[in-house]
Amino acid sequence: QVQLVESGGGLVQAGGSLRLSCAASGRAFSNYYMGWFRQAPGKEREFVARINWNGGSTSYTDSVKGRFTISRDNAKNTVHLQMNSLKPEDAAVYYCAADRYYYGSRYVEYDYWGQGTQVTVSS
């Protein structure tokens, strides 16, 4: 099993940047596929980005391509989401997720979740 704790959320003006972090505890972090998802009020949780076990493969939802970057440091058991050129529509609670076998964009397939971190973008 793996436990996940997100941090780094906050209030930022449109056009600004934030870096989210997800700290994992438990065994064999490097064996897990990792993802970032977000959920705005009244909306379904949506995929943002994912990264494979060694960081060699990443994928993003179209709305964040070129602005967000996912990365991981297996030595430190962390995964990051660098968010640049933030827009008001990026505002949401951002969740880190992990799964031992699933590498995709369907949130229901991920077994492990953090508690979320709030991102607010002012226009």
Side-chain angles (χ1 to χ4, degrees):
Q1 290 191 352
V2 62
Q3 294 78 42
L4 306 173
V5 178
E6 301 96 334
S7 62
L11 172 64
V12 64
Q13 288 188 334
S17 297
L18 282 174
R19 188 186 192 218
L20 305 184
S21 296
C22 175
S25 59
R27 301 178 66 180
F29 171 73
S30 61
N31 288 343
Y32 287 82
Y33 298 116
M34 301 297 297
W36 283 98
F37 293 77
R38 64 187 180 187
Q39 188 166 18
K43 294 188 176 181
E44 190 175 13
R45 191 166 299 190
E46 66 170 350
F47 166 75
V48 176
R50 65 178 184 253
I51 190 166
N52 75 333
W53 67 277
N54 67 352
S57 174
T58 58
S59 180
Y60 302 88
T61 191
D62 285 346
S63 63
V64 308
K65 285 180 181 177
R67 300 189 297 122
F68 290 13
T69 302
I70 188 172
S71 62
R72 68 188 296 164
D73 185 340
N74 287 340
K76 297 182 179 179
N77 283 12
T78 57
V79 61
H80 301 286
L81 185 68
Q82 178 66 43
M83 305 187 297
N84 299 328
S85 302
L86 282 160
K87 304 176 180 179
E89 53 263 41
D90 293 318
V93 178
Y94 281 71
Y95 296 92
C96 175
D99 198 271
R100 178 67 179 84
Y101 300 106
Y102 179 72
Y103 182 56
S105 59
R106 287 172 49 84
Y107 72 88
V108 295
E109 301 289 348
Y110 283 79
D111 283 341
Y112 303 102
W113 291 87
Q115 82 290 348
T117 186
Q118 178 72 51
V119 171
T120 304
V121 184
S122 63
S123 56

